[in-house]
Amino acid sequence: MTVVKIRIDFDGDRYIGHGRVQLLELIGQHGSIAKAAKAMDMSYKRAWYLIDEFNSMFADPLIERHHGGRGGGAAKLTPFGAELIRHYREMEAKALTVFAKPLSSIERHLVQLEKPGQKAAKKGVQPARA
């Protein structure tokens, strides 16, 4: 299935992208940066760095952190964090709708895959033999 992923570049190095939004969504689902990082197969340190950088882009925080204790730390989305995710996903859905016709035209030219995980063979091209 074809998907459209959006990256919004602000000034300088500030941007919103699919991975950052996914990390925010997972923090909202799991209530933890560590669990969200694990779900993305990412180190906690990397996830913490990304969220800290993402959070610092805005005047309003995206998440609230509660530092560990006996039960460990926790994190939850702020109302603005949830709003950002909602807006981003709405933009993705609208983009897919807007681009549906040209994407369909492009998709018709894709090489068909034989089996999941198998490389595609082009029409009229014989695979190389060893």
Side-chain angles (χ1 to χ4, degrees), residues 17-30:
H18 176 76
R20 288 180 174 193
V21 171
Q22 184 181 15
L23 183 57
L24 270 183
E25 286 174 323
L26 289 169
I27 289 169
Q29 289 172 17
H30 295 288

Side-chain angles (χ1 to χ4, degrees), residues 114 118-130:
E114 297 290 324
Q118 184 176 354
K119 290 187 178 180
K122 292 191 176 207
K123 294 177 186 173
V125 177
Q126 295 294 324
R129 296 184 186 190

Side-chain angles (χ1 to χ4, degrees), residues 23-34 36 51 55 60-67 73-82 85:
L23 183 57
L24 270 183
E25 286 174 323
L26 289 169
I27 289 169
Q29 289 172 17
H30 295 288
S32 161
I33 296 172
I51 287 299
N55 221 19
D60 298 312
L62 298 167
I63 65 165
E64 292 176 358
R65 293 182 209 151
H66 303 282
H67 296 285
K76 70 175 192 173
L77 292 177
T78 63
F80 175 62
I85 291 168

Side-chain angles (χ1 to χ4, degrees), residues 36-54:
K38 186 174 182 178
M40 289 185 74
D41 198 27
M42 176 187 301
S43 74
Y44 170 78
K45 183 177 180 179
R46 175 84 175 132
W48 190 92
Y49 169 77
L50 286 172
I51 287 299
D52 193 50
E53 183 180 6
F54 199 20

Side-chain angles (χ1 to χ4, degrees), residues 81-126:
E83 178 183 1
L84 184 142
I85 291 168
R86 187 176 62 256
H87 286 314
Y88 180 86
R89 293 301 183 202
E90 286 172 0
M91 286 186 281
E92 274 187 332
K94 286 178 184 176
L96 189 55
T97 301
V98 168
F99 298 128
K101 191 172 181 179
L103 282 173
S104 177
S105 176
I106 293 167
E107 287 173 328
R108 284 194 297 272
H109 296 278
L110 288 173
V111 173
Q112 295 300 312
L113 297 177
E114 297 290 324
K115 297 178 185 175
Q118 184 176 354
K119 290 187 178 180
K122 292 191 176 207
K123 294 177 186 173
V125 177
Q126 295 294 324

